[in-house]
């Protein structure tokens, strides 16, 4: 097939149609990439929410070690005072 002259209206229309096809393919690729990024972002948000829930559960279930240490120390001190008083 022979190419028409560059200043011909048919040549301009043909090149515009090729350009349109190229732009449509490019937009489709960009749209697909953006959809993939949105999907990954949603997955990351769900994982983050799950981890926050699990951490909150672990924090509520942990032993209050400083309070437990204070109660043990006071109990030991009271036991020592009681033993000294009963002698």
């Amino acid at each position: 097939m022979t190419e028409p002259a560059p200043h011909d209206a048919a040549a301009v229309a043909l090149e515009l149609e090729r350009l349109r096809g190229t732009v449509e393919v490019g937009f489709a690729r960009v749209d697909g990439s953006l959809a993939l990024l949105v999907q990954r972002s949603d997955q990351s948000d769900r994982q983050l929410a799950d981890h926050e829930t699990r951490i909150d559960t672990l924090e509520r279930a942990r032993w209050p070690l400083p309070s437990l240490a204070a109660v043990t120390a006071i109990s030991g001190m009271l036991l020592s005072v009681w033993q000294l008083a009963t002698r």
Side-chain angles (χ1 to χ4, degrees):
M1 166 160 55
T2 61
E3 292 288 324
H7 59 279
D8 187 18
V12 171
L14 180 64
E15 287 301 318
L16 285 175
E17 185 61 32
R18 287 180 186 167
L19 182 62
R20 179 177 176 231
T22 302
V23 169
E24 284 180 356
V25 168
F27 279 148
R29 287 179 53 201
V30 168
D31 188 40
S33 296
L34 288 175
L36 180 62
L37 289 174
V38 168
Q39 180 185 10
R40 287 182 181 172
S41 174
D42 291 343
Q43 287 175 349
S44 296
D45 289 344
R46 281 193 301 268
Q47 282 182 340
L48 181 62
D50 179 51
H51 287 154
E52 286 178 0
T53 303
R54 291 171 55 194
I55 287 173
D56 288 343
T57 304
L58 288 173
E59 286 176 346
R60 271 187 254 114
R62 71 182 174 125
W63 285 30
L65 292 180
S67 301
L68 186 61
V71 169
T72 304
I74 291 172
S75 299
M77 184 180 69
L78 291 176
L79 184 61
S80 298
V81 169
W82 180 71
Q83 284 180 348
L84 287 175
T86 58
R87 283 189 178 183

